[in-house]
Amino acid sequence: NLLSCDPSNRYLSAWNAHCFSEKRSKEEKIIHAKNIIDSVYKHIPARKKIHFVEPEGPEECGILFRNNFTTPFVYQLHNRFPSYSKWHLSKDQDPAYEYYKKQLQIIQSEDNDQQHARWILKAPMHLLYLDSLISTFPDANVVVTHRDPGKILPSNISLGLSSLTACTRIRDSQHKEYARTALMLLFFLIQITIEKRNKLPNNNFLDIQYNDLVANPINVVEAIYDNFSLEHSDQFHYNMEKYLK
């Protein structure tokens, strides 16, 4: 959200993410996205607190991968299809990222106001496919946020269970099994991320601590821009301060 305060940046709006393939006007897509979001919050009230989104606000770009059925964490944590995740992780993800890039290009081509703005994108699933990400976007600047796994896991479990209980019949006795699956996936994600990072150029990446971001958000954002030699304007600072208030 903070990086989206920069007028030089472009974020993936929820209405573009949820209604990418629909032949509707922008206004109709915004209304439809609002209906989708309201429906999710109606059936999964806890999700509004965990993952709050507005139709014209930023949304995680992992949604675009659903358009070619390549979102393993969504299927594994929200619908419990471990066989799908196992199959998916064995496949070359370069084609999926090429399609992802094409979707972003189409969205950008339809926006005359921000033809040359930088894309600001976010999805935890990118950590699994850093090689495909950098191969598709060799000039990408990747910010990796580090947080205490002991705090990430309960958050992931809460988010996943809130969706799972709304979509499937899961008994209370299965919650422990679900928690074990979430722990296994978190461990796997960390392991894969380290392995792939070690094979890629360091200049594409910057590591920041989540606690630092919470304590001094503007300072951390400035450090990100300085690390990648990006300019940060007075308007950007004003927008961040306004957002944080």
Side-chain angles (χ1 to χ4, degrees):
N1 285 307
L2 281 178
L3 295 178
S4 299
C5 291
D6 187 349
S8 299
N9 293 338
R10 167 205 299 277
Y11 60 82
L12 179 68
S13 63
W15 68 266
N16 256 323
H18 289 286
C19 309
F20 167 76
S21 60
E22 298 181 17
K23 294 183 178 180
R24 307 185 186 204
S25 67
K26 177 180 177 180
E27 291 72 24
E28 290 174 325
K29 286 184 177 182
I30 290 173
I31 293 172
H32 187 53
K34 184 180 186 304
N35 292 336
I36 292 173
I37 294 168
D38 288 347
S39 178
V40 170
Y41 291 156
K42 178 182 178 181
H43 292 92
I44 316 173
R47 194 175 179 88
K48 188 171 185 178
K49 183 178 180 180
I50 300 169
H51 186 73
F52 179 72
V53 179
E54 295 179 297
E56 296 186 70
E59 175 61 291
E60 293 191 3
C61 61
I63 290 177
L64 293 179
F65 286 83
R66 297 180 187 180
N67 294 328
N68 61 344
F69 301 98
T70 52
T71 48
F73 277 97
V74 170
Y75 289 99
Q76 176 74 348
L77 288 180
H78 296 183
N79 296 296
R80 302 175 72 224
F81 294 141
S83 59
Y84 170 84
S85 292
K86 184 177 180 180
W87 168 83
H88 177 269
L89 290 169
S90 69
K91 299 299 180 181
D92 176 15
Q93 295 305 310
D94 285 357
Y97 271 84
E98 286 297 331
Y99 187 65
Y100 167 66
K101 179 180 179 180
K102 183 175 294 185
Q103 292 179 84
L104 294 175
Q105 289 173 327
I106 292 172
I107 292 171
Q108 184 167 331
S109 71
E110 296 175 344
D111 187 349
N112 295 324
D113 296 330
Q114 285 192 302
Q115 285 290 326
H116 304 292
R118 285 187 302 265
W119 275 105
I120 299 296
L121 302 161
K122 175 198 172 187
M125 62 171 286
H126 288 311
L127 292 174
L128 282 170
Y129 316 114
L130 289 175
D131 48 354
S132 294
L133 175 68
I134 299 302
S135 174
T136 307
F137 305 99
D139 58 346
N141 298 321
V142 183
V143 179
V144 182
T145 307
H146 295 263
R147 189 179 182 186
D148 182 353
K151 294 181 179 179
I152 293 176
L153 191 60
S155 177
N156 285 347
I157 292 173
S158 177
L159 178 61
L161 279 176
S162 68
S163 300
L164 192 61
T165 52
C167 302
T168 64
R169 295 179 179 178
I170 180 171
R171 299 184 299 273
D172 290 345
S173 59
Q174 294 176 292
H175 286 192
K176 288 185 178 180
E177 174 193 344
Y178 180 87
R180 283 193 292 269
T181 300
L183 176 61
M184 176 192 69
L185 288 173
L186 178 60
F187 175 77
F188 179 75
L189 174 63
I190 294 172
Q191 186 180 40
I192 291 296
T193 300
I194 293 173
E195 289 178 3
K196 296 199 172 184
R197 275 283 300 271
N198 288 338
K199 299 176 182 178
L200 294 168
N202 285 328
N203 61 321
N204 282 107
F205 297 91
L206 175 65
D207 298 286
I208 63 172
Q209 296 297 322
Y210 178 79
N211 289 342
D212 293 339
L213 179 61
V214 173
N216 300 290
I218 293 181
N219 289 346
V220 170
V221 169
E222 289 178 346
I224 292 172
Y225 272 60
D226 291 342
N227 180 79
F228 294 120
S229 301
L230 303 174
E231 295 183 3
H232 34 95
S233 65
D234 292 339
Q235 184 64 49
F236 181 24
H237 280 261
Y238 172 79
N239 291 347
M240 285 194 291
E241 290 172 355
K242 183 179 179 180
Y243 172 79
L244 290 171
K245 289 179 181 179

